[in-house]
């Protein structure tokens, strides 16, 4: 019998028999023997039990129950014993290049929760806009939140921008908490900082003003790593961010940092000399380490994109996000004891078109490749997929790009062994109506695997 459960449970026994059953008929049990996010669902002719050791496990059991139930309210008699493969099952939304409404963010969160994802990485600032209200540095959002024109090829010359108020951010954090999702905010530094430097140009090496960018790319507008005021600023803003986001993790970016400015800056050169740093890569290592230690001193765990590993960081300093890592820095880092999140471009970059990254490629992502030793594999926290929004102007486009590929991410993060791909595709297509009810329009089935 075909059951359309997604992600597919790790142990499931199904009967042909069905019975009418409501969610409220489930007898909830506490069982300490069940893994923290796991659950057991036992439905026979007389009884229906949902057991878990945590509220999160109960929540995931309910998601499975809802998918088991047919339109008439019947569910198959079954025994399901289930728990996730990885503790990190994430999705990232870029709210800088294009901003979303609170309702759109909530719709994404609802969909993610239904498929048992548990991390919402929120990319809140970049060269094209700062999106967090700041009381200490209000020009961040009032100036850095706006760009001249819509940009990215859209000829609309009107100013484009906006930001999330602290009240809105708290609302989203609570919304996620109610669905057992941790929000991981990102303040990308020291690169991708055009919006910051438009607001506070004194934090750059030259002190010269720049524009909030309207095009995609890597820009030379980076924070000066020589000036002490840069660290004061970053730590002060991070204090505001920590007040808003109670979760354990804070992402500090660290990707794509052009070094020319640092090499030509008297402040940065002095810093390299004073700290005995061999070159600008080592200066970024100094920057990363200093910010990371500040976060750790405040009880947080810092995360950076894999470029932070260009400097030789100790495994305990930071968690690395593996996105574009031709040198295998993350593999080596994990093998030495560092924690890594798998987020590689050709498998799970959801902004790529389906010709470049088909659903099959997402589903076939090997999260524990042989370049990781046994210890390295134990240090893989899990999987995450980003939707970068340079070319995702509206929510309709976001739905098309994200689904069904995020369903592949959800299943690979949860289910121990990949299921048969044809079966997965059928279960993914079966989610179309449920996603549609959330206002999310999945890409047409015929476009999922252009090569087939
Ligand atoms: Zn400098």
């Amino acid at each position: 019998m075909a059951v359309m459960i997604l992600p597919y449970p790790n142990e499931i026994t199904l009967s042909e028999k069905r019975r009418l059953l409501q969610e409220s008929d489930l007898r909830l049990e506490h069982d300490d023997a069940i893994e923290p996010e796991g659950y057991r669902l036992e439905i026979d002719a007389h009884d229906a039990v949902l057991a878990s050791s945590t509220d999160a496990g109960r929540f995931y059991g309910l998601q499975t129950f809802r998918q088991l139930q047919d339109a008439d309210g019947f569910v198959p008699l079954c025994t399901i014993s289930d728990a996730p493969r990885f503790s990190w099952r994430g999705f990232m939304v870029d709210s800088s290049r294009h901003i979303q409404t609170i309702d759109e963010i909530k719709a994404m969160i609802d969909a993610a929760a239904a498929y048992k994802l548990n991390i919402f990485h929120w990319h809140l600032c970049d060269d094209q806009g700062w999106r967090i209200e700041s009381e200490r540095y209000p020009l961040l959002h009032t100036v850095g939140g706006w760009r001249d024109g819509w940009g990215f090829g859209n000829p609309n010359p009107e100013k484009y921008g906006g930001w999330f108020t602290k009240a809105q951010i708290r609302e989203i954090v609570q919304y996620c908490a109610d669905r057992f999702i941790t929000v991981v905010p990102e303040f990308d530094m020291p690169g991708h900082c055009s919006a910051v430097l438009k607001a506070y140009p004194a934090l750059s090496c030259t002190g010269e003003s720049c524009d909030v960018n309207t095009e995609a790319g890597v820009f030379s507008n980076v924070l000066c790593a020589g000036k002490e005021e840069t660290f004061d600023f970053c730590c002060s803003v991070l204090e505001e961010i920590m007040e808003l986001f109670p979760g354990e993790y804070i992402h500090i970016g660290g990707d794509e940092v052009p070094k020319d400015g640092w090499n030509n800056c008297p402040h940065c050169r002095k810093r390299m000399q004073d700290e005995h740093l061999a070159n600008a890569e080592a200066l970024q290592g100094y920057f990363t380490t200093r910010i990371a230690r500040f976060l750790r001193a405040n009880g947080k765990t810092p995360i950076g994109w894999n470029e932070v590993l260009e400097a030789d960081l100790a495994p305990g300093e930071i968690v690395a996000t593996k996105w574009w890592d031709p040198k295998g820095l993350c593999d080596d880092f994990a093998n030495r004891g560092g924690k890594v999140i798998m987020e590689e471009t050709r498998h799970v970059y959801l902004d790529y078109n389906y010709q470049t990254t088909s659903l099959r490629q997402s589903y076939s992502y090997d999260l524990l490749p042989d370049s990781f030793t046994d210890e390295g594999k134990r240090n893989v926290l899990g999987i995450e997929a980003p939707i970068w929004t340079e070319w995702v102007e509206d929510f309709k486009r976001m739905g098309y790009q994200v689904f069904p590929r995020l369903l592949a991410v959800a299943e690979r993060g949860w289910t121990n062994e990949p299921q048969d791909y044809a079966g997965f595709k059928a279960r993914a297509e079966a989610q179309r109506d449920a996603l549609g009810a959330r206002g999310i329009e999945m890409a047409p089935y015929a476009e999922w695997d252009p090569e087939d």
Side-chain angles (χ1 to χ4, degrees):
M1 185 200 313
V3 285
M4 293 292 132
I5 306 173
L6 200 160
Y8 204 75
N10 279 305
E11 284 179 43
I12 177 167
T13 310
L14 279 170
S15 159
E16 295 287 332
K17 297 196 181 102
R18 304 175 83 83
R19 62 176 277 209
L20 194 59
L21 194 67
Q22 301 306 317
E23 204 169 297
S24 55
D25 297 331
L26 289 172
R27 199 155 56 76
L28 303 175
E29 274 186 8
H30 183 91
D31 183 346
D32 275 329
I34 297 176
E35 286 179 51
E37 291 186 300
Y39 64 93
R40 191 176 66 246
L41 191 58
E42 291 173 303
I43 300 171
D44 63 25
H46 313 287
D47 202 0
V49 175
L50 170 55
S52 66
S53 64
T54 65
D55 291 343
R58 177 180 298 171
F59 180 80
Y60 294 135
L62 284 176
Q63 305 314 310
T64 297
F65 178 83
R66 288 170 190 168
Q67 292 185 7
L68 279 170
Q69 203 170 34
D70 69 19
D72 300 317
F74 284 86
V75 296
L77 307 190
C78 62
T79 302
I80 297 175
S81 187
D82 201 11
R85 181 187 190 200
F86 290 108
S87 62
W88 192 283
R89 304 180 305 279
F91 68 108
M92 192 216 84
V93 174
D94 170 7
S95 290
S96 174
R97 278 56 177 267
H98 286 97
I99 191 168
Q100 302 78 29
T101 67
I102 291 296
D103 284 345
E104 288 164 352
I105 297 275
K106 285 181 175 176
M108 281 293 297
I109 291 164
D110 279 329
Y115 303 108
K116 305 186 175 77
L117 296 173
N118 65 355
I119 296 284
F120 170 35
H121 172 182
W122 202 357
H123 188 78
L124 284 158
C125 55
D126 213 301
D127 291 303
Q128 294 85 357
W130 179 277
R131 305 288 175 230
I132 310 168
E133 179 186 18
S134 172
E135 279 154 23
R136 297 184 184 180
Y137 295 93
L139 299 184
L140 278 176
H141 61 279
T142 60
V143 172
W146 295 94
R147 60 181 185 247
D148 293 326
W150 283 44
F152 303 105
N154 185 322
N156 189 331
E158 284 177 30
K159 275 192 172 290
Y160 182 96
W163 63 84
F164 298 107
T165 66
K166 291 197 167 186
Q168 287 175 321
I169 289 171
R170 290 197 177 95
E171 183 183 339
I172 290 297
V173 167
Q174 185 60 49
Y175 199 80
C176 283
D178 292 343
R179 289 154 182 77
F180 303 94
I181 290 175
T182 300
V183 187
V184 178
E186 181 178 353
F187 171 6
D188 196 348
M189 63 176 93
H192 288 284
C193 271
S194 301
V196 173
L197 295 174
K198 170 73 175 179
Y200 297 99
L203 299 172
S204 73
C205 287
T206 64
E208 288 168 18
S209 186
C210 67
D211 286 329
V212 179
N213 293 110
T214 55
E215 302 297 329
V218 176
F219 303 95
S220 58
N221 303 318
V222 307
L223 299 175
C224 177
K227 295 177 182 172
E228 212 37 41
E229 63 189 290
T230 299
F231 293 93
D232 294 343
F233 167 84
C234 290
C235 293
S236 184
V237 172
L238 285 169
E239 280 173 353
E240 275 193 290
I241 289 174
M242 288 188 283
E243 272 173 35
L244 287 169
F245 298 93
E248 177 187 347
Y249 297 92
I250 297 198
H251 207 297
I252 55 172
D255 58 316
E256 299 176 326
V257 185
K259 303 292 192 308
D260 288 354
W262 285 2
N263 283 322
N264 293 317
C265 166
H267 308 283
C268 288
R269 292 168 74 97
K270 180 168 191 308
R271 176 80 71 189
M272 287 191 257
Q273 198 172 26
D274 292 350
E275 300 291 337
H276 310 292
L277 303 168
N279 51 37
E281 288 300 346
L283 180 56
Q284 187 175 349
Y286 169 87
F287 181 96
T288 305
T289 302
R290 198 164 154 185
I291 297 295
R293 286 180 185 171
F294 169 78
L295 289 172
R296 286 195 178 278
N298 283 278
K300 299 291 184 180
T301 300
I303 310 176
W305 299 105
N306 55 232
E307 287 96 321
V308 298
L309 301 181
E310 292 281 352
D312 194 20
L313 297 187
E317 294 282 6
I318 200 161
V319 173
T321 310
K322 183 178 174 73
W323 74 280
W324 175 248
D325 184 20
K327 294 185 218 165
L329 295 173
C330 288
D331 313 39
D332 177 56
F333 186 63
N335 295 344
R336 288 188 288 121
K339 303 291 184 196
V340 169
I341 297 157
M342 303 296 277
E343 189 161 358
E344 284 174 278
T345 52
R346 66 201 172 94
H347 288 291
V348 292
Y349 263 42
L350 305 178
D351 53 313
Y352 286 20
N353 63 35
Y354 286 84
Q355 280 76 21
T356 307
T357 299
S358 65
L359 180 62
R360 186 189 296 276
Q361 265 169 291
S362 295
Y363 196 70
S364 63
Y365 189 8
D366 182 0
L367 298 170
L368 300 176
D370 288 340
S371 48
F372 290 77
T373 62
D374 287 347
E375 192 203 343
K377 289 176 181 178
R378 282 193 291 276
N379 288 323
V380 173
L381 295 181
I383 184 171
E384 182 177 299
I387 178 69
W388 300 102
T389 57
E390 287 94 335
W391 288 274
V392 181
E393 245 183 42
D394 57 36
F395 194 64
K396 183 178 164 68
R397 184 75 196 181
M398 184 173 286
Y400 170 90
Q401 294 291 135
V402 170
F403 291 99
R405 288 181 293 194
L406 191 62
L407 299 177
V409 170
E411 183 146 307
R412 295 312 307 279
W414 183 280
T415 310
N416 290 334
E417 296 298 327
Q419 304 296 304
D420 75 288
Y421 183 62
F424 166 73
K425 276 182 92 167
R427 287 182 291 111
E429 177 61 22
Q431 309 307 318
R432 186 174 294 281
D433 289 348
L435 287 166
R438 301 184 193 285
I440 295 170
E441 201 177 315
M442 192 156 59
Y445 185 88
E447 295 184 28
W448 296 358
D449 288 301
E451 285 174 14
D452 289 7

